[in-house]
Amino acid sequence: LPDGLTVLDAQGQYGSAGGIVKEPGKVVVIALDDTPDAEKRLSDAAEAYKRKFRQESVGIVRKRSCVSF
């Protein structure tokens, strides 16, 4: 994602068979143009994150916004 992103430290939790598991996490904010390849770029980034940090899942929230820099 060469156009840029913002990474924030976070604390998360999830339910497992052993109860609630708490762990540190990251929130990554990415602003992308609504182009045909945007979904694939997000999916590729999520898959790379899962592999690198040995995660089972990565949540993605999509929201249309009007932004400028």
Side-chain angles (χ1 to χ4, degrees):
L1 299 166
D3 296 334
L5 53 88
T6 301
V7 179
L8 307 165
D9 291 324
Q11 291 294 321
Q13 70 180 43
Y14 62 92
S16 73
I20 300 293
V21 176
K22 296 182 179 186
E23 65 181 6
K26 299 288 183 186
V27 174
V28 180
V29 180
I30 303 167
L32 292 174
D33 287 334
D34 190 12
T35 61
D37 72 328
E39 187 66 29
K40 181 169 181 352
R41 292 171 66 197
L42 281 175
S43 178
D44 289 349
E47 290 302 318
Y49 187 95
K50 288 194 296 188
R51 281 191 306 275
K52 183 172 183 172
F53 297 104
R54 298 184 190 117
Q55 296 295 301
E56 292 180 17
S57 64
V58 169
I60 298 176
V61 177
R62 294 164 191 84
K63 180 174 174 37
R64 286 187 181 258
S65 299
C66 179
V67 299
S68 64
F69 295 94

